[in-house]
């Protein structure tokens, strides 16, 4: 039995400018609750939600952290979230605006990451979320984050990232518009 600590890091700090409102509040918080449940049921021992543009009530047992530089883009939220999960053996980085991604996806990507320490969901060959980083990769991933990008540059071109095809469970489409 694997006893490594997996912490879900849900990035939900953005203003949702293209969407018209912060996505953490979408559908009366349904997207937030759905993403938290996917992380919990997918194998995360704890969940951290990164807030910024909007304050939102988080489900019981979830740790809410604030990204003061949220306006700088996803990289700021990424760093704050991973700092809050610094004791994790595996950080499962997810985004609030992919509401059809469920526990099956999280479970599959987390399981794959145990091989190399790096895994990401792909949907019909298209990279998506969640992304799982073993602790040994977190500092380099955070250092590579910039603007509206989290681990993208860090993951690009690496041969040790396991791509987990997840289109049998979800589309992985992130909703930028209503």
């Amino acid at each position: 039995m694997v006893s490594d600590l997996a912490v879900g890091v849900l990035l939900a700090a953005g203003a949702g400018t293209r969407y018209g409102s912060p996505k953490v509040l979408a559908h009366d918080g349904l997207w937030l609750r759905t993403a938290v449940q996917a992380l919990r049921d997918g194998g995360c021992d704890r969940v951290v939600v990164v807030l910024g543009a909007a304050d939102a009530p988080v489900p019981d047992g979830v740790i809410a952290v604030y990204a003061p530089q949220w306006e700088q883009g996803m990289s700021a939220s990424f760093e704050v979230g991973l700092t809050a999960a610094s004791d994790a053996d595996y950080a499962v980085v997810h985004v609030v605006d992919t509401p059809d991604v469920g526990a099956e996806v999280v479970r599959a990507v987390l399981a794959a990451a145990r091989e190399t320490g790096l895994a990401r969901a792909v949907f019909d060959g298209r990279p998506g979320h969640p992304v799982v980083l073993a602790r040994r990769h977190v500092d380099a991933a955070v250092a590579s984050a910039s603007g509206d990008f989290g681990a993208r540059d860090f993951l690009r071109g690496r041969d040790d990232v396991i791509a987990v095809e997840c289109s049998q469970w979800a589309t992985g489409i992130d909703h930028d518009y209503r």
Side-chain angles (χ1 to χ4, degrees):
M1 173 171 236
V2 178
S3 62
D4 295 322
L5 179 67
V7 176
V9 176
L10 183 62
L11 305 180
T17 306
R18 292 174 295 210
Y19 187 74
S21 67
K23 296 175 195 175
V24 70
L25 302 174
H27 303 278
D28 295 320
L30 178 62
W31 287 3
L32 169 63
R33 293 187 305 275
T34 299
V36 166
Q37 198 63 49
L39 290 166
R40 284 179 167 164
D41 291 349
C44 293
D45 301 294
R46 192 170 69 234
V47 176
V48 172
V49 174
V50 183
L51 300 172
D55 195 17
V58 298
D60 289 343
V62 170
I63 300 163
V65 296
Y66 178 72
Q69 305 296 319
W70 65 266
E71 291 178 275
Q72 293 179 3
M74 185 185 290
S75 60
S77 302
F78 183 70
E79 181 175 1
V80 167
L82 288 174
T83 298
S86 63
D87 63 332
D89 295 300
Y90 294 94
V92 183
V93 181
H94 193 29
V95 291
V96 74
D97 60 354
T98 56
D100 76 333
V101 171
E104 303 86 357
V105 172
V106 174
R107 193 175 303 111
V109 178
L110 181 56
R114 297 190 194 282
E115 291 180 43
T116 67
L118 294 170
R120 78 173 317 155
V122 297
F123 303 91
D124 289 327
R126 181 182 35 83
H129 287 90
V131 170
V132 180
L133 306 164
R135 180 183 298 160
R136 68 183 178 273
H137 297 295
V138 168
D139 290 343
V142 168
S144 76
S146 176
D148 208 24
F149 302 107
R152 181 195 312 205
D153 288 342
F154 172 74
L155 297 171
R156 183 176 287 140
R158 294 183 65 107
D159 61 4
D160 57 347
V161 179
I162 299 174
V164 182
E165 182 57 58
C166 296
S167 58
Q168 68 269 36
W169 299 300
T171 65
I173 293 172
D174 88 20
H175 295 270
D176 284 336
Y177 301 94
R178 287 189 197 258

